[in-house]
Amino acid sequence: MALAMTSPPKGSRAARTRATEDRILAVALESFGTKGFDSVSLDDLAADLGITKQAILYHWSSKRALLDAVIDRAALELIIEFDGALSEDGSGWSRVESIVRRIFRVAMRRPELLGFIREISRIGGDASLRVTADLEPFVSRATAYFEREMDAGRIRRCDPGLLLVSAYSTVLGTATEVEVLRAVGIAPTLRSTVVRRRELLSFLYAAMVAPDFARSQALR
Amino acid sequence: MALAMTSPPKGSRAARTRATEDRILAVALESFGTKGFDSVSLDDLAADLGITKQAILYHWSSKRALLDAVIDRAALELIIEFDGALSEDGSGWSRVESIVRRIFRVAMRRPELLGFIREISRIGGDASLRVTADLEPFVSRATAYFEREMDAGRIRRCDPGLLLVSAYSTVLGTATEVEVLRAVGIAPTLRSTVVRRRELLSFLYAAMVAPDFARSQALR
DNA sequence: CGGTTCACTTACCAAGTGGTAAACATTTGC
DNA sequence: GCAAATGTTTACCACTTGGTAAGTGAACCG
């Protein structure tokens, strides 16, 4: 789909190499995330990039090695997208709200990124271990954050890991299970997305916020 | 993996044909659901079944035609698994609880079934339309059920379609996002599953049950 | 300038892909 | 009992797959 670079390449050789590898990783992430690893051949990727498959194999010794690189890149982008929300200001619920909005935004604008994580989990084996290792620092931060919020009584007490997974899969599911959404009769338009996000937020609010704290907030 | 039938086949020819097609569909559903449609070749399937790929192509004219048949079967099994829960007795929450337990059980015992639905949604196109059409009656029933519960004040009022998707993806996510679970440090053991289900139920309870109704129930 | 390194291409290849054609064995209808 | 229908196999085929080997032109470095 992407066009070959028409203009002659610019910059130092090292810079151009970096740029090429970047383009390959970006297209690979997009393709692997939407179509699946096995469904995308190196020839497909190369065609999308306007190069030959051997150019890809020059930068990575095998398709599997390319996958590893894409995993690292996906984890990095995921962390960049989400980690900032943990550092933002704001009290308990408003911060959770901003995290949810952020996940939602990513799910809407970059579904291939989240789809890719799912794809990796299905491939299993070394690939799973790699993404797990890559995401570990972020997961630790998020878990610690939830624990602090529970200690402060702003979020109902429960297993922080489960809360993280529940919130993640709820938002991710609501945002990405387009097929189920369509089956339920919710057209995936932009307008309906806003409605869904609002409903989802109140859903999560009821589930997460500690009752005592909520009562003291005059129902947000 | 499955062994070839050692004993000579029994029953009438029609019955044996049905049995063979059944076995093919079962193995195909399992493989497509866990490894993905493109990752499973007809030779792989045939080897698992102890037959040749041409035997499969005799019953369905192409791999794609086989996929359609698997879709129909998956939808049927899904409806069988879930639809009964909608007809069960019990008041508002207890019925929801039984539905959740049922989805959870399916996600634990037959992850390939739910994985297959996801796979279909990624393939998109005709395949998606087919599963949508297959599931429509069930979705209608479930939505109508939620609407009745809301009218009765036993479930907090919200969009019934969204509630269905939210509950579905929450349970499904919690039960199947093994990768994320592992990243969060929750080992996917059987023991931890029980704990997770209990926590999830209270999570959903807080999210779904109407506050007024919950208060009158002495906190379940 | 001249050689070396680098990024990439052209030319292949063996293995596997979905699918066809025809032979073969069993079972059914007459 | 026999021919026809049926389920399955063996034998192929054109095409795609990930990957290798060798060549090519430009950038880099002395």
Side-chain angles (χ1 to χ4, degrees), chain B residues 24 42-43 45-47 51-62:
Chain B
I24 296 175
L42 291 178
D43 282 312
L45 279 182
I51 59 178
T52 62
K53 108 177 107 178
Q54 289 73 13
I56 300 175
L57 286 170
Y58 169 78
H59 294 279
W60 295 276
S61 59
S62 69

Side-chain angles (χ1 to χ4, degrees), chain A residues 71-90:
Chain A
I71 289 174
D72 292 341
R73 184 197 177 90
L76 184 69
E77 291 194 18
L78 215 57
I79 289 178
I80 289 174
E81 293 275 8
F82 295 152
D83 209 53
L86 291 179
S87 319
E88 271 175 17
D89 290 344

